[in-house]
């Protein structure tokens, strides 16, 4: 059974900011679009394999039912709703930053 993928507005905004930053920082829109494709591919894979992300090491995130998927230097935080067959992407953050408060 394939799960539906939903994203919060926050996750959408974070993804857009990441892609704009990469394009601006590298001077290469193509590099940014390639990275966007990597993230989109990882997100879309969750439709088939919702449990492929790991359980976060922070206990507060673990207790709230988050899972985390790593895409290069970014972390995608999501929850699985098995009864509705939905994966909800809550946040996409840089793994090099303190991210507990960003979710």
């Amino acid at each position: 059974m394939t799960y539906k993928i939903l994203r919060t507005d926050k996750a959408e905004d974070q993804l857009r900011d990441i892609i704009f930053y990469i394009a601006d920082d590298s001077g290469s829109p193509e590099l940014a679009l390639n990275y966007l494709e990597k993230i989109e591919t990882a997100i879309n894979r969750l439709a088939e394999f919702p449990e492929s992300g790991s359980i976060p090491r922070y206990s507060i995130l673990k207790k709230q039912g988050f899972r985390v998927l790593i895409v290069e230097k970014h972390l995608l935080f999501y929850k699985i709703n098995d009864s509705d067959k939905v994966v909800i992407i809550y946040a996409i953050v840089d793994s090099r930053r303190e991210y507990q408060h960003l979710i």
Side-chain angles (χ1 to χ4, degrees):
M1 169 98 195
T2 304
Y3 281 62
K4 185 177 179 187
I5 306 285
L6 297 177
R7 303 178 203 200
T8 62
D9 290 343
K10 183 177 193 170
E12 286 287 354
D13 291 346
Q14 289 169 326
L15 182 56
R16 189 182 58 242
D17 291 347
I18 290 163
I19 300 311
F20 281 145
Y21 174 79
I22 292 169
D24 195 43
D25 190 54
S26 67
S28 169
E30 192 177 324
L31 191 69
L33 289 173
N34 287 344
Y35 195 68
L36 175 61
E37 199 171 309
K38 273 184 193 162
I39 290 178
E40 293 288 1
T41 299
I43 289 172
N44 291 335
R45 201 174 300 125
L46 291 173
E48 295 290 326
F49 307 103
E51 300 203 354
S52 58
S54 53
I55 293 169
R57 66 173 183 259
Y58 288 117
S59 61
I60 187 137
L61 297 176
K62 206 183 299 183
K63 282 183 193 139
Q64 291 174 356
F66 281 102
R67 293 185 81 86
V68 61
L69 189 65
I70 301 166
V71 179
E72 289 191 19
K73 53 186 182 274
H74 287 91
L75 305 173
L76 284 70
F77 288 92
Y78 69 97
K79 290 183 183 179
I80 304 167
N81 180 328
D82 282 317
S83 58
D84 294 334
K85 300 290 184 223
V86 174
V87 171
I88 304 164
I89 311 292
Y90 283 90
I92 303 169
V93 298
D94 191 320
S95 62
R96 297 164 297 182
R97 293 181 49 205
E98 192 60 38
Y99 55 80
Q100 279 176 287
H101 66 283
L102 296 174
I103 300 170

